Amino acid sequence: MAQKPTSTGPSQRQQRVAELVRHALAEVLQRGDIQDPVLNTHVVTVPEVRMSPDLKLATAYVMPLGGMDEAPVIAALDRHRKVLRQEVARRVNLKFAPELRFLRDETFDEAARIDKLLRDERVQRDLVPERDGDGHEDDEPETGRGH
């Protein structure tokens, strides 16, 4: 009997539910249904939601537009966690409404870190093709045959 391959990433169901929860949260935040001075003065993006395997916990990665006031925005979302959970439950048909957890989206930081690495002079030096004595790019390895 063949063994079932172990999955390293989220299942298709987790991904589908995560996307539904993400859309529901984004809609609630966009419409301004939550009355909070911090949330009413910030546009909050929800680039990603990850679901636990049992679909009972949704981790929403959020970022205020422009990256300003991240901590107050996440604190405001935490304060309104119950109302947001109810709104998600109303919009997404699940057996159980998932608990919501809000974390700062660090994708932009990671992209900036990679961009900085790629701009490093040591990396740039490795990316520039070497020139042979004639001023031509020396891309072809020597094969021992004439050119």
Side-chain angles (χ1 to χ4, degrees):
M1 189 164 142
Q3 269 192 333
K4 184 179 176 183
T6 56
S7 172
T8 56
S11 70
Q12 190 172 6
R13 185 165 187 236
Q14 281 174 276
Q15 290 174 337
R16 189 175 67 245
V17 171
E19 193 60 16
L20 291 171
V21 170
R22 186 184 77 78
H23 279 280
L25 277 173
E27 182 183 334
V28 171
L29 294 171
Q30 180 185 13
R31 290 179 44 152
D33 293 346
I34 307 298
Q35 296 305 314
D36 182 279
V38 174
L39 295 178
N40 291 342
T41 58
H42 291 82
V43 175
V44 180
T45 60
V46 186
E48 182 180 8
V49 171
R50 293 185 190 160
M51 298 299 298
S52 63
D54 63 2
L55 305 179
K56 291 187 178 181
L57 174 66
T59 303
Y61 294 87
V62 297
M63 178 62 74
L65 202 61
M68 303 296 290
D69 303 326
E70 296 163 3
V73 166
I74 291 175
L77 291 168
D78 282 335
R79 277 194 306 274
H80 297 286
R81 184 187 316 228
K82 286 182 182 178
V83 174
L84 288 165
R85 182 181 183 195
Q86 290 170 346
E87 289 296 323
V88 166
R90 221 168 45 82
R91 289 169 167 78
V92 181
N93 187 18
L94 293 172
K95 188 172 185 178
F96 299 102
E99 281 291 324
L100 297 175
R101 177 174 40 186
F102 298 98
L103 294 177
R104 178 183 180 276
D105 179 41
E106 296 181 353
T107 354
F108 295 112
D109 293 344
E110 185 65 11
R113 186 184 72 78
I114 291 170
D115 191 51
K116 182 179 175 188
L117 283 172
L118 291 173
R119 292 177 192 270
D120 184 273
E121 68 181 46
R122 293 169 293 188
V123 174
Q124 288 296 316
R125 182 178 59 228
D126 291 344
L127 294 176
V128 175
E130 291 186 27
R131 304 243 177 225
D132 64 14
D134 297 336
H136 295 92
E137 289 182 9
D138 191 20
D139 288 341
E140 297 296 318
E142 290 296 320
T143 59
R145 288 185 265 166
H147 283 78

